[in-house]
Amino acid sequence: MRAAVLPEFEAPLVLEELELLPPGPRDVVVRPGAVEVCVTDSYATRPGPLSRPPAILGHSAAGVVEAVGSAVTTVAPGDRVLVAGTPACGDCFWCRRGEGHQCREIFEGGVRHVARRADGTLVSAAGGVGTYAEQLLVREYGVVRMDTTLPDEHLCLLSCGAASALGAVFGIARVGLGDTVAVLGAGRIGGWLLQAARLAGAVRVVAVEPLPERRKRAAALGASDVLDPADGDVVEQVRDLTGGRGVDAAFEATGGPGTAAAVRTAFAATRRGGVVVPLGMTDFGVTVDLPVNDLAMRGREVRSCQYGNVDLQRDLPRYARVLESGLLDPVAMVERTYPLPDAGSALAAAEDREVLTAVLLPNSD
Ligand SMILES: NC(=O)c1ccc[n+]([C@@H]2O[C@H](COP(=O)([O-])OP(=O)(O)OC[C@H]3O[C@@H](n4cnc5c(N)ncnc54)[C@H](O)[C@@H]3O)[C@@H](O)[C@H]2O)c1
Ligand SMILES: [Zn+2]
Ligand SMILES: [Zn+2]
């Protein structure tokens, strides 16, 4: 099978012919139909804990089960599945507390080898998933059987963008009817956050975005107000739009070098008792200063979001039904599809913000 491999840190992806390793007792072999490209995959190209080259990048896929290990019970060959952005083993300290988003396998699972080169070198899967490939070797507890009419190009969005945003809005911030919301960064995640906030019944949804094209799109996706951060003080403008109080919930979805500043802005834009959900990722070790007395006395909460803190088996099928029902629009989110040999260009397009969502079709060419 072919895969787009990161041969070493900071090197371009290379299309390689590899042999998939045989499935262990609780492994599943999936043939992916579509893979959502996420800018987090580009962080995995740099030195850090997200990958160990040579590695197959990617943490999203919708596809069909081809084979299962001897102890697999929840899926069978022929089943349509979603490969979750992060797995939940169901058996560790965190999973047993209902916090599968912090599963030991995500943070302490070690390197997972999934394929072999002709010379015998083992190839790992970034984040233990590695979806930029024609065949995937994934863990049973990292896939969810999906009975859905959604095409793979839309279903795969639940491996990352759509599920992270739905989880952030409904599960983490618990946005409700009549609430006010700010979304910093109207990119791929921001686009889903805007849609989800409207669906939750937020009456004021303020998008903050420097790129003009994306500001236009933000309005189309449900923002009631759209701000350019270059155009005056964002916090002041958000307060003006919310009776001087600030928003009930602010979502930071920028990522990259400006993330810490954006988290501070999001925090300052909330009302007393408001919630901040920082989604954006940046280099490990980057810190953010927040006013201690606001944390101590003013009720402002910062709530972590790892893949929307979703419960895979509970949330992903119901999110799929939300997409099927037309309550959210996946069509507006997918801007371009790419065959597997163009995985590097797809990742660059996501990184350079050329397309809102790039989707790989690993078995299309
Ligand atoms: N925590 C999670 O569950 C989760 C899930 C998926 C992705 N992510 C992370 O979320 C981040 C965003 O991902 P994405 O795919 O939407 O990226 P993206 O590049 O499509 O979107 C980011 C947007 O932020 C805008 N932006 C930059 N600086 C800004 C500022 N100062 N104020 C307002 N907007 C600004 C950019 O122009 C861009 O449109 C990444 O860091 C990604 O790794 C987190
Ligand atoms: Zn992602
Ligand atoms: Zn676990």
Side-chain angles (χ1 to χ4, degrees):
M1 66 98 180
R2 296 180 309 165
V5 175
L6 177 74
E8 54 190 83
F9 283 125
E10 276 155 357
L13 301 187
V14 179
L15 194 69
E16 293 191 26
E17 186 66 42
L18 303 173
E19 186 196 339
L20 198 71
L21 299 183
R26 291 203 64 199
D27 287 340
V28 175
V29 177
V30 173
R31 185 165 290 273
V35 164
E36 181 185 16
V37 175
C38 170
V39 73
T40 310
D41 300 335
S42 71
Y43 304 156
T45 65
R46 301 200 285 269
L50 296 180
S51 71
R52 178 80 61 85
I56 303 170
L57 301 188
H59 56 271
S60 138
V64 175
V65 174
E66 277 195 341
V68 296
S70 56
V72 168
T73 57
T74 58
V75 293
D79 284 351
R80 281 191 82 193
V81 287
L82 186 71
V83 175
T86 52
C89 76
D91 198 33
C92 70
F93 173 88
W94 289 272
C95 283
R96 290 198 174 276
R97 293 174 69 99
E99 297 168 9
H101 52 88
Q102 296 301 314
C103 176
R104 175 169 45 85
E105 287 297 307
I106 306 169
F107 298 101
E108 301 161 46
V111 179
R112 181 175 157 82
H113 291 113
V114 294
R116 185 185 287 123
R117 286 173 167 156
D119 68 2
T121 317
L122 289 174
V123 177
S124 69
V129 187
T131 55
Y132 293 7
E134 286 173 333
Q135 276 183 312
L136 317 177
L137 182 68
V138 285
R139 292 156 289 202
E140 178 184 17
Y141 52 74
V143 301
V144 181
R145 191 163 64 85
M146 302 296 275
D147 295 313
T148 175
T149 55
L150 290 172
D152 282 347
E153 288 98 296
H154 296 161
L155 184 59
C156 73
L157 307 175
L158 290 173
S159 296
C160 180
S164 299
L166 282 165
V169 166
F170 287 91
I172 298 171
R174 297 188 180 278
V175 173
L177 276 180
D179 280 1
T180 55
V181 165
V183 174
L184 279 79
R188 180 179 60 101
I189 297 292
W192 285 112
L193 288 165
L194 293 168
Q195 292 199 55
R198 285 311 284 243
L199 181 62
V203 289
R204 193 125 231 174
V205 181
V206 186
V208 184
E209 168 61 49
L211 299 179
E213 183 49 42
R214 292 194 168 187
R215 285 202 297 278
K216 242 185 265 163
R217 198 186 287 261
L221 291 172
S224 58
D225 306 87
V226 183
L227 306 178
D228 178 352
D231 230 15
D233 189 294
V234 165
V235 175
E236 238 169 62
Q237 294 181 73
V238 170
R239 288 190 181 281
D240 286 348
L241 290 166
T242 51
R245 280 191 305 274
V247 288
D248 298 304
F251 298 88
E252 188 286 325
T254 69
T259 307
V263 170
R264 275 198 304 273
T265 304
F267 190 86
T270 53
R271 65 168 171 83
R272 288 199 309 281
V275 175
V276 180
V277 184
L279 287 99
M281 287 182 57
T282 186
D283 293 329
F284 289 86
V286 171
T287 58
V288 59
D289 286 338
L290 294 174
V292 170
N293 286 353
D294 277 21
L295 294 168
M297 295 171 58
R298 296 198 173 106
R300 293 194 171 91
E301 278 184 60
V302 180
R303 295 189 192 157
S304 171
C305 171
Q306 195 292 110
Y307 185 31
N309 295 3
V310 295
D311 177 313
L312 306 183
Q313 301 293 340
R314 179 195 66 192
D315 293 330
L316 297 176
R318 69 184 176 130
Y319 291 173
R321 289 196 292 278
V322 172
L323 293 195
E324 275 168 11
S325 69
L327 287 167
L328 295 175
D329 181 7
V331 177
M333 300 300 296
V334 177
E335 215 158 40
R336 200 165 151 196
T337 57
Y338 298 76
L340 186 63
D342 295 347
S345 320
L347 188 54
E351 216 175 350
D352 298 342
R353 295 164 177 159
E354 275 167 30
V355 296
L356 197 61
T357 309
V359 168
L360 274 186
L361 306 176
N363 284 291
S364 66
D365 67 319

